[in-house]
Amino acid sequence: MDASLRAGVAVYNAGRYHAAHDAWEEPWLGLDDGTDDERFLHGLIQFTAAVHHARTRNWSGATGLAESAGDYLSGLPSPYCGVALDPIRRALSAIAADPEVIERRRPPPLRYDGRALVFADLRFEAAAVAARVLAAADSYDPAPIDRAVDFAREEIETGERTLFTTLVMEFVTADADRSLVYRRLVDHVERREREYADVDGLFET
């Protein structure tokens, strides 16, 4: 869960409030209802949804989700799994009371181990989650991202942290240049797949 948690924190802190929940959804769905971890991720997901609805002026949706998220997070220690919950709970109370507060001040950053994580802080596995989240949010074909992640893991296993590891990290951190990095990533994925196909062909009878 840790890589997904850190990825979602960084996605949220980049202002991608709606997309952040995608990093947490898969681990959340695998948890038993009512456990502390399930309540924690459920609360985070609903918190980001409340922020998103408030920013799109869906006041009733924002207040309902803020109240529900507050219920899920109530009673959990702060920090929980490294995430500071007290600022989140204060923000949820403010949104529940007056969702238009989001137009007067930005929602608080999420802090993990005391830091407001940004994309450049992520290690590879968290960056891989963030890459998939951003690809889905920005309507990129996810298949090349998944292949690049696979190739990057091969590099890491062999101690060769070079091409694909760098491309995945750059896709996450590029922001305005993300489409350019994506095209480079696709080109290199296609080239690597051709190389593998050529090698396989050597052993065909």
Side-chain angles (χ1 to χ4, degrees):
M1 181 173 82
D2 188 58
S4 295
L5 179 57
R6 286 181 283 120
V9 167
V11 171
Y12 169 94
N13 286 339
R16 307 296 297 269
Y17 305 116
H18 183 261
H21 81 277
D22 284 333
W24 303 320
E25 192 165 283
E26 184 176 345
W28 166 60
L29 290 173
L31 296 170
D32 292 333
D33 287 346
T35 63
D36 284 354
D37 284 353
E38 189 274 337
R39 290 174 52 219
F40 167 63
L41 289 182
H42 205 159
L44 282 187
I45 289 167
Q46 291 201 348
F47 166 63
T48 59
V51 170
H52 171 72
H53 282 300
R55 287 174 62 83
T56 56
R57 302 176 68 86
N58 176 2
W59 308 129
S60 61
T63 55
L65 284 164
E67 291 169 359
S68 179
D71 290 340
Y72 280 115
L73 297 178
S74 66
L76 296 177
S78 180
Y80 187 89
C81 288
V83 176
L85 295 186
D86 287 340
I88 298 173
R89 287 190 279 242
R90 288 193 293 271
L92 287 167
S93 295
I95 292 170
D98 175 18
E100 293 184 45
V101 70
I102 213 76
E103 297 189 333
R104 298 191 294 274
R105 62 176 182 264
R106 291 174 61 86
L110 293 181
R111 295 191 175 275
Y112 179 91
D113 285 347
R115 297 182 61 189
L117 292 182
V118 298
F119 290 139
D121 296 323
L122 299 181
R123 294 182 179 177
F124 178 75
E125 287 301 329
V129 175
R132 293 188 181 101
V133 167
L134 294 169
D138 294 341
S139 300
Y140 292 101
D141 181 358
I145 299 292
D146 289 339
R147 291 300 286 147
V149 168
D150 290 341
F151 293 144
R153 287 185 177 135
E154 290 178 8
E155 292 175 344
I156 291 169
E157 286 177 8
T158 60
E160 179 201 352
R161 299 187 179 215
T162 56
L163 179 61
F164 288 100
T165 311
T166 300
L167 284 169
V168 171
M169 299 295 288
E170 286 183 351
F171 178 79
V172 171
T173 58
D175 198 16
D177 295 326
R178 188 166 289 126
S179 62
L180 296 175
V181 175
Y182 180 77
R183 287 198 291 273
R184 286 176 48 223
L185 181 148
V186 169
D187 287 344
H188 284 291
V189 164
E190 291 175 348
R191 187 177 307 161
R192 178 63 58 89
E193 288 179 332
R194 286 195 300 271
E195 291 171 358
Y196 280 8
D198 289 344
V199 171
D200 288 343
L202 294 174
F203 298 94
E204 293 178 357
T205 57

